[in-house]
Amino acid sequence: MIDLHSHSTASDGQYSPSELVFKAAEANVSVLALTDHDTVSGHAEAEAASKKAGIIFVPGTELEIQWPTGEFHLLGLGLKTPSMQLLDIITYLQTERKARNSKILNKMQNDGVSVTLEQLEELYPVKTIGRPHIADYLVCKKIVKNRQMAFDKYLARGRPWYVPRAGADLKEAVNAIVSSGGIPVIAHPLSLYVSWGKIEGVLQEVFHSGVQGLEAWHPGARVAEAQRLEELAKKIGFFVTAGSDFHGEKVRKDRHLGHTAGDRKIEDRFWTEELLPRLKE
């Protein structure tokens, strides 16, 4: 099995980069991409652990892209040396994420929920605090019953504590990934919140912006949707990837290393036939 989308404590995952690698080895994953949100800080640790575990390590990242609806995440797979352009984008995104968290917490405090960023960082020892952690805090304080209710009532778009996210420009992010020796891939495209009737045209534009791959197989998609996305990707000209988007059992207990849509094991073809040939170009 392989896995081309995973997260560690370098962003918002449960396990450290080395712990993640060893868990992947226990799950019989032979190729693992670490794609932490808006950072490359976990690569050295994960690469060293991968050598010990006998796993092929694929250095990656997952960048937030400015998008009017839903969310647009861009994977950079097979990064060699992060360019200054990529590091500048990462710095910008991390700064904006912190500013967004502060605005959300201010809204909460104004409504009588006393919580600080320092408290959240102590409760959740990850590098990237985000809305899921705020939602978990609301569950912990019994303000809501579960994470989904926290989003539905307070944190989602149109709700009282929602703050729009900032993202990088798509073409600039593509250039930053390519200049770092990597390959740009659109992650979980259903998160764009574009209807099936319009998604082909939107993905055509994404392809012409320089994005080369499409993550058709993701746990957020049903098997039939993943198959449809793969067919669409091939029609447009993308190569196809698959990942678990694993963050850890405490974060998403329904996601497992080496498994994707429908909890299917990720086939080796997504590495040997899809990504690997392009990394060798």
Side-chain angles (χ1 to χ4, degrees):
M1 290 188 299
I2 67 165
D3 199 329
L4 300 177
H5 189 164
S6 69
H7 298 276
S8 74
T9 52
S11 66
D12 58 347
Q14 177 182 341
Y15 299 104
S16 71
S18 55
E19 289 171 338
L20 175 70
V21 167
F22 294 129
K23 282 203 63 81
E26 290 174 0
N28 295 317
V29 171
S30 58
V31 179
L32 179 70
L34 178 61
T35 53
D36 279 314
H37 295 283
D38 308 328
T39 186
V40 293
S41 64
H43 288 179
E45 181 182 337
E47 184 171 18
S50 295
K51 290 178 180 178
K52 292 181 180 179
I55 285 179
I56 296 172
F57 176 63
V58 181
T61 191
E62 184 172 7
L63 303 177
E64 186 82 42
I65 303 300
Q66 192 65 44
W67 188 251
T69 60
E71 63 182 18
F72 189 143
H73 287 179
L74 185 68
L75 298 173
L77 297 178
L79 301 174
K80 294 180 174 63
T81 302
S83 65
M84 187 56 65
Q85 186 179 6
L86 178 59
L87 296 177
D88 285 346
I89 287 176
I90 285 172
T91 298
Y92 165 74
L93 291 173
Q94 290 177 346
T95 300
E96 289 297 320
R97 187 185 294 271
K98 289 179 181 178
R100 185 192 194 205
N101 286 338
S102 294
K103 291 176 182 177
I104 292 173
L105 296 182
N106 284 339
K107 285 174 175 282
M108 294 170 63
Q109 291 161 2
N110 289 339
D111 285 346
V113 180
S114 179
V115 59
T116 65
L117 185 58
E118 290 72 23
Q119 287 175 306
L120 291 176
E121 289 173 340
E122 186 174 336
L123 283 170
Y124 308 105
V126 297
K127 295 288 179 65
T128 304
I129 292 291
R131 286 186 301 165
H133 303 101
I134 297 172
D136 289 344
Y137 177 82
L138 295 176
V139 175
C140 180
K141 292 298 180 179
K142 298 183 178 179
I143 296 171
V144 295
K145 291 183 179 180
N146 53 55
R147 180 188 284 185
Q148 188 59 51
M149 185 180 292
F151 276 87
D152 292 343
K153 191 171 182 180
Y154 297 111
L155 297 170
R157 187 184 298 270
R159 299 294 92 197
W161 299 339
Y162 176 78
V163 174
R165 74 184 81 207
D169 175 79
L170 175 58
K171 289 188 177 180
E172 290 181 2
V174 166
N175 290 336
I177 289 168
V178 172
S179 68
S180 303
I183 299 176
V185 175
I186 180 171
H188 41 71
L190 294 183
S191 294
L192 297 174
Y193 286 5
V194 175
S195 68
W196 282 106
K198 295 181 179 179
I199 197 168
E200 181 174 350
V202 170
L203 292 177
Q204 285 276 10
E205 293 179 10
V206 171
F207 180 74
H208 290 302
S209 295
V211 178
Q212 300 173 37
L214 184 145
E215 187 185 45
W217 290 85
H218 180 273
R222 294 188 288 268
V223 171
E225 292 172 326
Q227 291 170 335
R228 187 173 180 180
L229 284 169
E230 181 164 5
E231 291 174 3
L232 188 55
K234 294 301 185 182
K235 178 181 178 181
I236 294 171
F238 291 107
F239 74 92
V240 178
T241 70
S244 66
D245 202 356
F246 180 79
H247 286 70
E249 297 85 359
K250 291 182 180 179
V251 182
R252 287 294 298 263
K253 62 182 179 181
D254 57 329
R255 296 184 180 179
H256 310 103
L257 283 164
H259 292 73
T260 189
D263 206 27
R264 290 190 176 190
K265 291 182 179 180
I266 301 175
E267 301 170 45
D268 289 348
R269 68 181 176 92
F270 292 110
W271 168 247
T272 57
E273 299 174 22
E274 299 286 348
L275 179 59
L276 183 58
R278 288 158 181 84
L279 292 176
K280 290 181 175 180
E281 291 178 358

